[in-house]
Amino acid sequence: MLQEALKIISLPDLRKSLESDEIGEQIYKLITDLYPICRSITGDGVRETFKIIKNHIPLKVHEVSTGTEVFDWEVPKEWNIKDAYIKNSKGERIVDFQKSNLHVVNYSVAVNKVVPWEELKSHLFTLPDYPDRIPYRTSYYKESWGFCLSHNQLLAMQDAEYEVCIDSTLEPGYLSYGEYYLEGESQDEILISCHTCHPSLCNDNLSGIALATILAKYLSEVSSRRYSYRFIFIPGTIGSITWLALNEERVDRIKHGLVLTGVGDRGNFTYKKSRRGNAEIDRAVIHVLKHSGQEHQVIDFFPYGYDERQYCSPGFNLPVGCFMRSSHGQYSEYHTSADNLSFVQPQYLGESFSNCLSALYVLENNRTYLNQNPKCEPRLGKRGLYRQVGGHAEEQVDELALLWVLNLTDGEHTLLDIAERSQFSFDAIEKAANALAKHDLLKVKPE
Amino acid sequence: MLQEALKIISLPDLRKSLESDEIGEQIYKLITDLYPICRSITGDGVRETFKIIKNHIPLKVHEVSTGTEVFDWEVPKEWNIKDAYIKNSKGERIVDFQKSNLHVVNYSVAVNKVVPWEELKSHLFTLPDYPDRIPYRTSYYKESWGFCLSHNQLLAMQDAEYEVCIDSTLEPGYLSYGEYYLEGESQDEILISCHTCHPSLCNDNLSGIALATILAKYLSEVSSRRYSYRFIFIPGTIGSITWLALNEERVDRIKHGLVLTGVGDRGNFTYKKSRRGNAEIDRAVIHVLKHSGQEHQVIDFFPYGYDERQYCSPGFNLPVGCFMRSSHGQYSEYHTSADNLSFVQPQYLGESFSNCLSALYVLENNRTYLNQNPKCEPRLGKRGLYRQVGGHAEEQVDELALLWVLNLTDGEHTLLDIAERSQFSFDAIEKAANALAKHDLLKVKPE
Amino acid sequence: MLQEALKIISLPDLRKSLESDEIGEQIYKLITDLYPICRSITGDGVRETFKIIKNHIPLKVHEVSTGTEVFDWEVPKEWNIKDAYIKNSKGERIVDFQKSNLHVVNYSVAVNKVVPWEELKSHLFTLPDYPDRIPYRTSYYKESWGFCLSHNQLLAMQDAEYEVCIDSTLEPGYLSYGEYYLEGESQDEILISCHTCHPSLCNDNLSGIALATILAKYLSEVSSRRYSYRFIFIPGTIGSITWLALNEERVDRIKHGLVLTGVGDRGNFTYKKSRRGNAEIDRAVIHVLKHSGQEHQVIDFFPYGYDERQYCSPGFNLPVGCFMRSSHGQYSEYHTSADNLSFVQPQYLGESFSNCLSALYVLENNRTYLNQNPKCEPRLGKRGLYRQVGGHAEEQVDELALLWVLNLTDGEHTLLDIAERSQFSFDAIEKAANALAKHDLLKVKPE
């Protein structure tokens, strides 16, 4: 299908069809399937997540042993949890992991005892400003335990002591990550990365996981791709560090990359540029957003956020940007139970898919051509590329786009360069280039 | 006279005298002489035009045979026309070439027959939004015939059939172009190009033709010029292509160039930059317009418009900009009978002359000097270049301009660079440089 | 004390303590001591000034003979004055040098005679717009005499003739200038220059002289300095020309420099950039002003003003900017008797000191570091550099500043580069760098 997109269907037509909620529904459905699972940076929740993804793409799962040294870090112990609760004096589960896996501070060590209220209090986390929401908290690198609950729940707690139980294990095991490699014509790679460590939170980051999965699925159906694609599904921070450490000798194949996160909410698109700031992926995404007609913002790289922090660390400095709708911390639902199945919607997911695909389309087709007739304009009319008196050109290609392509195919400009300078969309410029190439007026510049 | 301008008269004084309508009147008079002639991309109308121009400058006319291959094009057949009309049933000429040569679609093939209204309609072109005006249409590369008329004329046509006659020939012959070369101290050339293919249309482009002619005339009276000048009078598109094809080995002598068109209307000045965008001609014209005190706009190069399209094609990429008042398509009179002798006025033509001359003046005088006393400021006072207590400097040169020139004549800055950085006019900077050179404080940097 | 500032006390703390009026009072006190002296570009007033400065720093005084050739100039005759007055017919001193040394045109030759009013008039200078103020005038390079007086004084003069006396000498002698060199770890120098040629005028330039003196004093108490510092106290124009001529072979040691002038008034800070425009001194001062929270303006170099004209002449092009509060000619008190001891205030002088010191602090500490762990982020938590759940990091360093430093210490960025890109203050970035260096995560890049 994308093959058609890349070669036959025009991108505007493709995008139009995709903006129908069909793709968005597929992505949303996958989010729904993954939502109940309690994920963390390690453990069976991640493996269960990968099993569901495998229904769509043949993901390869890697298991890295606890204690493996990865640059300045080491792979942590594996965490698993079966149950957790706080019971009141009547034996009622007033905070219950079975109702929401956010109730337990992620990576809590096991506990099972009666504790006085005064002691318990320091293990409880709420959001007084949003008294209905359960916050999301973690304690990966300090062994402790705790519960997250709504502030209303906290206010209702009147007993002098409570029974607390966290039935978890924190033991040597593995860090699991998933990888899907799609071979293309070139060994040059496009990296798509998403973090898989959050439990029942939809926008951050089931939306990124599901978008990456469905994108991979459609790209796999394309019969030829210029680039190879590498999709990685990893826990945040420790996962990208682990992946980079284990694949250090291969990272220079990565020519472009995107971190996908928070792509399902109604907010405007946000693109955070790579550290390089003017990488081709940066220009491609910015171009697509600019011509999408949608409100969006472009922000400079800063060393905070998601796994782009690692990809863009100075020892790698990879051309990897971060594609989002609302950015982290900019919406009140962030890292709370309100980031749920109604916070993300098929329509927004579908738009995200469409813009990502368009950006990849730019990268796939962004070639440098050489005008074969560089001295003066060629005569377009005799080739049916120019409108006649009172008539129309045979091919529906914008004449000014043709002239821009002819004028700038001096070997110094890619099609994206031409699109940027002419203010035409990449689609229009590529269409013009194809029409000219068909008439042997252009040839791809040998690399 | 320009010699005086370049060497003796200060430019402000020269420009002041020129802004009197005297020069504008000369240009306007030439337009008036050329207005009745029916020009096209080939034919006797062009030759007649050149004959009149020869009253002012010794133009050399070149004739290029039909069929000559010029890059991707070939020189077309020659078109000539004696008469044309549409007669109604009473035998009255209701559309008459003798009244306006715009009435015939330029390059129409011969026709002489009675045609029913239904058939005739598809050969008629009007401007419903401007019912009094005759449009200007051409059909150079598709053999056909047609008439242009006012919409009011069309509405008055009630007969069932009409006699149509176009007494034209389209036969092997020649493309004629005119060239005037003015030798200067250097073989480096400044190209001035104007298109000569439009019939009775004043702004587009009798104004450019006449301005180029009068400019050439005055420049020829200057006894020494730094640059050589090449004025070419050519049909649009095919003419510049032909000239470039026949002069390919000489084009690298062209160091600066201007296409002149639409320089007679009351609109603000428009300068369209060369493809290079920061060529010296671009900076010179922009500087002159900025310091002219007149409203103007500067637009980036785009591959549409006039013969700059060919000069700036990637195989040549010459530093040629386009100097206009209102730009093509930005005024409703464009390519209609309303682009007539009252649409252009001596005053506006005179201003155009003045600004062009000022830009050439910048190019002629834009040298790089070397401060002969680069360590600390020289003592200006003892040379009479600095005001005394309660007194005045002997020479009326702006002190701050002197200091800017001294500060930036490090061999890295031309006078135009200094003018741009200091915000002084080129005139003031050049005057300061001359004063300093007179006192041996500056010398021209050897090339 | 500055040693503590540079190495122990944080700059914010130091600046806070300095913004107390203590330093400002010291500077103001020195201005008060210097105010009564009649200075000029040469003469005993300058020597007396240096004697007072020697109470603070061991200034070395140089005497350069009249007639010494210094580039295009020569050292002028030495001027000294004992007394001057205009007496009315009653023998009353109606204009009296003993009351204000501004009353005599600086460098007036001796005169002692009775002159008719008509003749006298042409030797009198007033400010009609500010009738209470005495203007400041000089006539260094044309031998003449004159008096400056308030316009009210002029209006009161009704006699037919007056006795005028100027008891001055203009004879071969010396130009005196002071120099104080503070050796640092490197022979690379920071130049601090101030002009000493103005008589009883406080802002221009006793403020610069006094700020330079007190700054030199504090810097001398620092036990180690990265840079050597050269403070020069010179007459304007002829002084910097003389110094440059006599020290030509040493000027390439000057890596950064500031001209200090007009630093005591209440106006906003003004920084005039060096001719280079992006020298490190320019960036350091602009950074400090930007983060000072104080209104300020940054202006481009232009070849007028103070001694930066000579330092930035094309044969030297030194990275020397000019640090001011209100800039010359932008305040009505400029070069009048209103530029007195109430026009400058300790508070403003203290702020100037503080900002200068901060800029020098940036230069002293602006190093390039290399991240020792450039592949992915290092684990800050295990080093106590990252906050824990519900806790705080052990060291009070901004986490985002740490991450910026880690991300940009690729050997291509100085700390100032990082501060500019991250929008953090230099102080915050340097603090982060120090914390990281302490944990061996950074090392200074070998030069």
Side-chain angles (χ1 to χ4, degrees):
Chain A
M1 175 189 159
L2 184 69
Q3 175 56 6
E4 296 174 320
L6 295 179
K7 302 297 176 194
I8 299 162
I9 299 180
S10 79
L11 190 55
D13 289 348
L14 175 70
R15 290 177 62 199
K16 204 169 160 190
S17 73
L18 289 172
E19 277 171 20
S20 76
D21 291 338
E22 189 191 319
I23 296 283
E25 293 286 359
Q26 290 180 38
I27 299 169
Y28 187 78
K29 171 65 168 58
L30 179 51
I31 291 175
T32 308
D33 295 341
L34 297 173
Y35 184 60
I37 301 167
C38 181
R39 276 164 296 273
S40 182
I41 54 174
T42 61
D44 290 333
V46 177
R47 294 186 187 96
E48 196 177 339
T49 297
F50 291 160
K51 204 178 294 175
I52 293 172
I53 293 173
K54 281 184 182 175
N55 295 334
H56 300 269
I57 52 173
L59 195 69
K60 183 170 174 191
V61 176
H62 299 257
E63 301 279 355
V64 187
S65 301
T66 296
T68 304
E69 293 196 359
V70 287
F71 298 124
D72 193 50
W73 303 61
E74 61 178 50
V75 171
K77 291 179 190 165
E78 180 177 329
W79 184 69
N80 283 291
I81 181 164
K82 287 186 190 143
D83 194 9
Y85 55 81
I86 303 176
K87 277 187 183 164
N88 65 10
S89 52
K90 298 177 193 162
E92 297 164 334
R93 287 189 170 211
I94 57 166
V95 174
D96 187 356
F97 174 76
Q98 304 303 333
K99 291 190 180 158
S100 168
N101 53 42
L102 297 179
H103 276 313
V104 175
V105 169
N106 205 292
Y107 254 66
S108 282
V109 293
V111 61
N112 192 348
K113 59 180 174 181
V114 173
V115 289
W117 171 243
E118 279 305 310
E119 182 189 336
L120 178 58
K121 270 199 312 187
S122 66
H123 293 269
L124 302 183
F125 303 96
T126 70
L127 294 167
D129 289 346
Y130 297 94
D132 287 330
R133 299 182 185 170
I134 309 164
Y136 161 59
R137 300 290 290 263
T138 68
S139 185
Y140 301 141
Y141 296 104
K142 187 185 169 194
E143 295 201 359
S144 66
W145 62 268
F147 287 87
C148 298
L149 60 162
S150 76
H151 203 63
N152 287 338
Q153 281 178 296
L154 181 79
L155 295 176
M157 290 173 77
Q158 305 287 346
D159 291 356
E161 56 180 34
Y162 289 88
E163 181 189 341
V164 298
C165 170
I166 298 179
D167 183 7
S168 68
T169 55
L170 184 58
E171 293 168 349
Y174 300 91
L175 177 154
S176 316
Y177 71 85
E179 190 164 12
Y180 178 46
Y181 179 71
L182 261 177
E183 196 167 8
E185 291 163 19
S186 157
Q187 288 207 327
D188 290 345
E189 291 181 16
I190 296 179
L191 177 77
I192 306 289
S193 172
C194 58
H195 59 277
T196 53
C197 48
H198 287 33
S200 295
L201 295 168
C202 285
N203 203 39
D204 181 15
N205 188 29
L206 290 177
S207 69
I209 296 168
L211 173 53
T213 303
I214 302 300
L215 195 56
K217 179 182 158 192
Y218 280 105
L219 282 172
S220 73
E221 293 172 6
V222 170
S223 65
S224 84
R225 286 166 299 271
R226 175 179 178 187
Y227 287 104
S228 298
Y229 287 79
R230 189 174 300 274
F231 291 82
I232 62 178
F233 300 78
I234 49 172
T237 304
I238 186 65
S240 47
I241 292 170
T242 299
W243 188 86
L244 285 163
L246 299 181
N247 294 277
E248 194 175 349
E249 81 291 345
R250 265 193 289 165
V251 295
D252 56 2
R253 293 189 193 169
I254 297 172
K255 302 306 177 194
H256 321 282
L258 283 178
V259 169
L260 299 181
T261 178
V263 293
D265 69 292
R266 76 177 60 233
N268 295 333
F269 284 102
T270 303
Y271 180 66
K272 176 182 172 180
K273 291 195 274 188
S274 75
R275 181 180 184 268
R276 298 182 187 185
N278 201 27
E280 194 175 344
I281 182 68
D282 299 325
R283 294 171 52 211
V285 176
I286 292 166
H287 181 85
V288 163
L289 289 176
K290 185 178 163 190
H291 286 268
S292 71
Q294 296 160 316
E295 291 276 322
H296 63 275
Q297 61 172 333
V298 175
I299 56 181
D300 284 332
F301 176 80
F302 57 95
Y304 204 74
Y306 296 100
D307 289 308
E308 68 275 9
R309 291 162 66 164
Q310 313 309 327
Y311 301 127
C312 296
S313 58
F316 291 112
N317 195 24
L318 296 174
V320 176
C322 182
F323 184 80
M324 302 169 272
R325 296 195 67 118
S326 295
S327 73
H328 49 94
Q330 301 297 306
Y331 51 100
S332 72
E333 295 83 356
Y334 176 73
H335 278 194
T336 77
S337 55
D339 181 2
N340 57 25
L341 286 168
S342 55
F343 186 62
V344 297
Q345 290 298 326
Q347 176 192 345
Y348 311 128
L349 293 159
E351 289 170 1
S352 295
F353 180 93
S354 174
N355 281 325
C356 280
L357 186 62
S358 296
L360 297 178
Y361 182 87
V362 170
L363 297 176
E364 285 278 331
N365 293 282
N366 186 27
R367 298 186 188 277
T368 302
Y369 286 88
L370 282 174
N371 185 334
Q372 299 301 298
N373 197 75
K375 291 182 173 171
C376 298
E377 294 169 5
R379 200 175 146 200
L380 298 176
K382 69 181 177 191
R383 295 175 177 90
L385 291 168
Y386 219 71
R387 63 170 152 40
Q388 307 295 333
V389 171
H392 296 93
E394 292 167 28
E395 306 196 24
Q396 291 294 333
V397 184
D398 190 290
E399 283 169 29
L400 189 52
L402 290 170
L403 294 172
W404 269 115
V405 171
L406 286 167
N407 193 267
L408 292 177
T409 43
D410 53 5
E412 305 292 316
H413 298 82
T414 65
L415 294 187
L416 182 54
D417 291 329
I418 300 173
E420 288 176 344
R421 178 155 170 187
S422 70
Q423 312 244 27
F424 274 92
S425 71
F426 184 86
D427 301 326
I429 290 299
E430 194 222 355
K431 192 176 174 188
N434 287 343
L436 292 166
K438 200 169 132 191
H439 290 278
D440 297 323
L441 289 169
L442 293 188
K443 283 195 182 146
V444 172
K445 182 183 178 185
E447 307 228 337
Chain B
M1 175 192 160
L2 185 68
Q3 175 57 7
E4 295 175 319
L6 295 180
K7 303 297 176 195
I8 298 162
I9 300 181
S10 79
L11 189 55
D13 289 349
L14 175 69
R15 291 177 60 199
K16 203 169 160 190
S17 73
L18 289 171
E19 277 171 21
S20 75
D21 291 338
E22 189 190 319
I23 296 282
E25 293 287 359
Q26 291 179 39
I27 300 168
Y28 187 79
K29 171 65 170 55
L30 178 52
I31 291 175
T32 308
D33 295 341
L34 299 171
Y35 184 61
I37 302 166
C38 180
R39 276 163 296 273
S40 182
I41 54 174
T42 61
D44 290 332
V46 178
R47 294 185 188 96
E48 196 177 338
T49 298
F50 292 160
K51 202 178 295 173
I52 293 171
I53 292 174
K54 282 184 182 174
N55 295 335
H56 300 270
I57 53 173
L59 196 68
K60 183 170 176 192
V61 177
H62 299 257
E63 301 280 355
V64 186
S65 301
T66 295
T68 303
E69 293 195 0
V70 287
F71 298 124
D72 193 49
W73 302 61
E74 61 179 50
V75 171
K77 291 179 190 163
E78 180 176 329
W79 185 68
N80 282 293
I81 182 164
K82 288 187 190 142
D83 196 8
Y85 55 81
I86 302 176
K87 277 188 183 162
N88 64 12
S89 52
K90 298 177 193 163
E92 297 165 335
R93 288 191 170 206
I94 59 166
V95 175
D96 187 355
F97 174 77
Q98 303 304 334
K99 291 191 179 157
S100 168
N101 52 41
L102 296 180
H103 275 313
V104 175
V105 170
N106 205 292
Y107 253 65
S108 282
V109 292
V111 62
N112 192 349
K113 60 180 174 182
V114 172
V115 290
W117 171 243
E118 279 306 310
E119 183 189 336
L120 179 58
K121 270 199 313 188
S122 67
H123 292 269
L124 302 183
F125 303 95
T126 70
L127 293 167
D129 288 346
Y130 297 94
D132 287 330
R133 299 182 185 170
I134 309 164
Y136 161 59
R137 300 291 289 261
T138 69
S139 184
Y140 301 141
Y141 297 103
K142 187 184 169 195
E143 295 201 357
S144 67
W145 62 268
F147 286 88
C148 297
L149 59 161
S150 77
H151 202 62
N152 287 338
Q153 282 177 297
L154 181 80
L155 294 176
M157 291 172 76
Q158 305 286 348
D159 292 356
E161 56 180 35
Y162 290 88
E163 180 189 341
V164 298
C165 170
I166 297 179
D167 183 6
S168 68
T169 56
L170 185 59
E171 292 168 348
Y174 300 91
L175 177 154
S176 315
Y177 71 84
E179 191 164 11
Y180 178 46
Y181 179 71
L182 260 177
E183 195 167 8
E185 291 163 18
S186 157
Q187 288 206 327
D188 290 344
E189 290 182 13
I190 296 178
L191 177 76
I192 306 289
S193 172
C194 58
H195 60 277
T196 54
C197 49
H198 287 36
S200 295
L201 295 168
C202 286
N203 203 39
D204 182 14
N205 188 29
L206 291 176
S207 69
I209 296 168
L211 174 53
T213 304
I214 302 301
L215 195 56
K217 178 181 159 193
Y218 280 103
L219 282 171
S220 74
E221 294 172 5
V222 170
S223 65
S224 84
R225 288 167 296 273
R226 176 179 178 184
Y227 286 104
S228 298
Y229 288 78
R230 188 174 300 275
F231 291 82
I232 63 178
F233 300 78
I234 49 171
T237 304
I238 187 64
S240 48
I241 292 170
T242 298
W243 188 86
L244 286 164
L246 300 180
N247 293 278
E248 194 175 348
E249 79 293 345
R250 263 194 290 164
V251 295
D252 56 1
R253 291 189 195 169
I254 298 171
K255 302 306 178 195
H256 321 281
L258 283 178
V259 169
L260 298 182
T261 179
V263 293
D265 69 292
R266 75 177 61 232
N268 294 333
F269 284 102
T270 302
Y271 180 67
K272 176 182 172 181
K273 291 195 273 187
S274 75
R275 180 181 186 269
R276 298 183 186 183
N278 201 26
E280 193 176 344
I281 183 67
D282 299 325
R283 294 170 52 209
V285 176
I286 292 166
H287 181 84
V288 164
L289 290 176
K290 184 178 164 191
H291 286 269
S292 71
Q294 296 161 316
E295 291 278 321
H296 63 275
Q297 60 171 334
V298 175
I299 56 181
D300 283 333
F301 177 80
F302 57 95
Y304 204 73
Y306 298 100
D307 290 306
E308 70 276 8
R309 290 163 64 165
Q310 313 309 327
Y311 302 127
C312 296
S313 59
F316 291 112
N317 195 25
L318 296 175
V320 175
C322 182
F323 184 81
M324 302 170 271
R325 297 195 67 118
S326 296
S327 73
H328 49 94
Q330 300 298 305
Y331 52 100
S332 72
E333 295 83 357
Y334 176 73
H335 279 196
T336 78
S337 56
D339 181 5
N340 58 23
L341 286 167
S342 55
F343 186 61
V344 297
Q345 291 299 325
Q347 175 192 348
Y348 311 128
L349 294 159
E351 289 170 0
S352 296
F353 180 93
S354 174
N355 281 325
C356 281
L357 185 62
S358 296
L360 296 177
Y361 182 87
V362 169
L363 297 175
E364 287 276 333
N365 293 283
N366 186 27
R367 299 184 187 278
T368 303
Y369 286 88
L370 282 175
N371 184 333
Q372 299 301 299
N373 198 76
K375 292 183 175 171
C376 299
E377 295 168 4
R379 200 176 146 198
L380 298 175
K382 69 182 178 192
R383 295 173 177 90
L385 292 167
Y386 219 71
R387 64 169 153 36
Q388 307 294 333
V389 172
H392 296 92
E394 290 167 27
E395 306 196 25
Q396 291 293 334
V397 184
D398 190 291
E399 284 169 29
L400 189 53
L402 290 169
L403 293 172
W404 270 114
V405 171
L406 287 167
N407 193 267
L408 292 177
T409 43
D410 53 6
E412 305 292 316
H413 297 83
T414 66
L415 293 187
L416 182 54
D417 292 328
I418 300 173
E420 288 177 344
R421 177 157 171 186
S422 70
Q423 312 244 27
F424 274 91
S425 71
F426 184 86
D427 302 326
I429 291 298
E430 195 222 354
K431 191 175 174 189
N434 288 343
L436 293 165
K438 198 169 134 192
H439 288 278
D440 297 323
L441 290 170
L442 294 188
K443 283 197 181 143
V444 172
K445 184 183 176 184
E447 307 229 337
Chain C
M1 175 191 161
L2 185 69
Q3 175 58 5
E4 294 174 321
L6 294 179
K7 302 297 175 194
I8 298 163
I9 299 179
S10 80
L11 189 55
D13 289 348
L14 175 70
R15 291 177 61 200
K16 204 169 159 190
S17 73
L18 290 172
E19 276 171 22
S20 74
D21 291 338
E22 189 190 320
I23 296 283
E25 294 286 359
Q26 291 180 36
I27 300 169
Y28 187 79
K29 171 64 169 56
L30 178 52
I31 292 176
T32 308
D33 295 342
L34 298 171
Y35 184 60
I37 302 167
C38 180
R39 276 165 295 274
S40 182
I41 53 175
T42 61
D44 291 331
V46 177
R47 292 186 189 98
E48 196 178 340
T49 297
F50 292 161
K51 203 178 296 174
I52 292 171
I53 293 173
K54 281 185 183 175
N55 295 334
H56 299 269
I57 52 173
L59 196 69
K60 182 170 175 192
V61 177
H62 299 257
E63 301 279 352
V64 186
S65 301
T66 296
T68 303
E69 293 196 359
V70 286
F71 299 124
D72 192 51
W73 302 61
E74 60 179 51
V75 172
K77 291 179 191 164
E78 180 176 329
W79 184 69
N80 283 292
I81 182 165
K82 288 187 192 143
D83 196 10
Y85 55 82
I86 302 176
K87 277 188 185 165
N88 63 11
S89 53
K90 299 177 193 163
E92 297 164 333
R93 287 188 170 210
I94 58 165
V95 175
D96 186 356
F97 174 77
Q98 303 304 335
K99 290 188 179 159
S100 169
N101 52 42
L102 297 179
H103 275 313
V104 176
V105 170
N106 206 292
Y107 254 67
S108 282
V109 292
V111 61
N112 192 347
K113 60 180 174 181
V114 173
V115 289
W117 171 244
E118 279 307 309
E119 183 190 336
L120 178 58
K121 270 200 311 187
S122 68
H123 291 269
L124 302 183
F125 304 96
T126 70
L127 293 168
D129 289 346
Y130 297 94
D132 288 330
R133 299 182 186 169
I134 308 163
Y136 162 59
R137 300 293 288 265
T138 69
S139 185
Y140 301 141
Y141 297 104
K142 186 185 170 195
E143 296 200 359
S144 66
W145 62 269
F147 286 87
C148 298
L149 59 163
S150 77
H151 202 62
N152 287 338
Q153 282 178 297
L154 181 80
L155 295 176
M157 291 171 77
Q158 305 288 347
D159 292 356
E161 56 181 34
Y162 290 89
E163 180 189 341
V164 297
C165 169
I166 298 180
D167 182 5
S168 68
T169 55
L170 184 59
E171 291 168 349
Y174 300 92
L175 177 153
S176 316
Y177 71 85
E179 190 164 11
Y180 177 47
Y181 179 70
L182 260 177
E183 195 167 10
E185 290 163 18
S186 158
Q187 288 207 327
D188 290 345
E189 289 181 16
I190 297 179
L191 176 76
I192 306 289
S193 172
C194 57
H195 59 277
T196 54
C197 48
H198 286 34
S200 295
L201 294 168
C202 285
N203 203 39
D204 181 13
N205 188 31
L206 290 177
S207 69
I209 296 169
L211 173 53
T213 303
I214 302 300
L215 195 55
K217 178 182 159 193
Y218 280 103
L219 282 170
S220 73
E221 293 172 6
V222 170
S223 65
S224 85
R225 287 166 297 271
R226 176 178 177 187
Y227 287 104
S228 298
Y229 288 79
R230 188 174 301 275
F231 291 82
I232 61 179
F233 299 78
I234 49 172
T237 304
I238 187 63
S240 47
I241 293 169
T242 298
W243 188 86
L244 285 163
L246 299 181
N247 293 277
E248 195 175 347
E249 81 292 344
R250 264 194 289 165
V251 294
D252 56 3
R253 292 189 194 169
I254 297 171
K255 302 307 177 193
H256 320 282
L258 284 178
V259 169
L260 299 182
T261 179
V263 292
D265 69 291
R266 74 177 61 232
N268 294 333
F269 284 102
T270 303
Y271 180 67
K272 176 182 173 182
K273 291 194 274 188
S274 75
R275 181 181 185 268
R276 299 183 186 184
N278 201 27
E280 193 175 344
I281 183 67
D282 298 326
R283 294 170 53 211
V285 176
I286 292 167
H287 181 85
V288 163
L289 288 176
K290 184 178 165 191
H291 286 268
S292 72
Q294 296 161 316
E295 291 278 322
H296 63 276
Q297 61 172 333
V298 175
I299 56 180
D300 283 333
F301 177 80
F302 57 95
Y304 205 74
Y306 297 100
D307 289 307
E308 68 276 9
R309 292 163 65 164
Q310 313 309 327
Y311 301 128
C312 296
S313 59
F316 291 112
N317 195 25
L318 296 175
V320 176
C322 182
F323 184 81
M324 301 170 270
R325 298 194 68 118
S326 295
S327 73
H328 50 95
Q330 301 297 306
Y331 51 101
S332 72
E333 295 84 355
Y334 176 74
H335 278 195
T336 77
S337 56
D339 181 4
N340 57 25
L341 285 168
S342 55
F343 185 61
V344 297
Q345 290 298 327
Q347 175 192 348
Y348 311 128
L349 293 160
E351 289 171 1
S352 296
F353 180 94
S354 174
N355 281 324
C356 280
L357 185 62
S358 296
L360 297 177
Y361 182 86
V362 170
L363 298 175
E364 287 275 332
N365 293 283
N366 187 27
R367 299 185 186 276
T368 303
Y369 286 87
L370 282 175
N371 185 334
Q372 299 302 298
N373 197 77
K375 292 184 174 171
C376 299
E377 294 169 4
R379 199 175 147 201
L380 298 175
K382 70 181 177 192
R383 296 174 176 90
L385 291 168
Y386 220 71
R387 65 168 150 41
Q388 308 295 334
V389 172
H392 296 92
E394 291 167 28
E395 306 197 25
Q396 291 293 333
V397 185
D398 190 290
E399 283 169 29
L400 190 52
L402 290 170
L403 293 172
W404 270 115
V405 171
L406 286 166
N407 193 267
L408 292 177
T409 42
D410 54 5
E412 305 292 315
H413 298 82
T414 65
L415 294 187
L416 182 55
D417 291 329
I418 299 173
E420 287 177 344
R421 178 157 171 186
S422 70
Q423 312 243 28
F424 274 92
S425 71
F426 184 86
D427 301 325
I429 291 299
E430 195 223 355
K431 191 176 174 189
N434 288 343
L436 293 166
K438 199 171 132 193
H439 289 278
D440 297 322
L441 289 169
L442 294 188
K443 283 195 181 146
V444 173
K445 183 183 178 185
E447 308 229 335

